[in-house]
Amino acid sequence: MPDPNLTVGELVKAKAITDEQVSAAVEAYCNDPTTAGFMISDDYAVNLLDAVTVHDPTRWTLLDPESSRASKRGAIRMAILHARALKV
């Protein structure tokens, strides 16, 4: 059983979370950047707002008016992959 304190990326590697679930989290954040608690799977939640806020490279990318939409989405995905998931 995966450690409940793993990052989302580690849980993807452990096959506890799928790439599709990470993509859904990215979509959820893009649709509402104030999204906090998000059930990324039946067993894990992640705070999307905190994930993006504390990840400096993502914040810088989102604040850069010259960043493309694809760059912003990639940065959001990276922040989510680095975020600690909460076992529920």
Side-chain angles (χ1 to χ4, degrees):
M1 180 162 104
D3 179 344
N5 295 320
L6 295 175
T7 65
V8 172
E10 291 167 331
L11 289 166
V12 169
K13 285 183 183 178
K15 302 204 185 297
I17 294 175
T18 67
D19 285 330
E20 291 79 15
Q21 289 168 315
V22 175
S23 293
V26 172
E27 286 300 316
Y29 181 84
C30 289
N31 290 333
D32 182 3
T34 65
T35 302
F38 179 80
M39 290 299 298
I40 197 162
S41 74
D42 290 340
D43 299 323
Y44 292 94
V46 64
N47 186 319
L48 301 179
L49 178 60
D50 282 353
V52 171
T53 302
V54 302
H55 194 255
D56 287 338
T58 299
R59 281 188 307 129
W60 298 329
T61 301
L62 295 178
L63 291 172
D64 183 353
E66 295 185 23
S67 291
S68 68
R69 180 180 169 165
S71 293
K72 290 178 181 181
R73 292 175 72 77
I76 293 165
R77 182 179 188 84
M78 181 180 295
I80 292 169
L81 289 170
H82 283 92
R84 296 269 170 205
L86 175 65
K87 177 97 167 129
V88 292

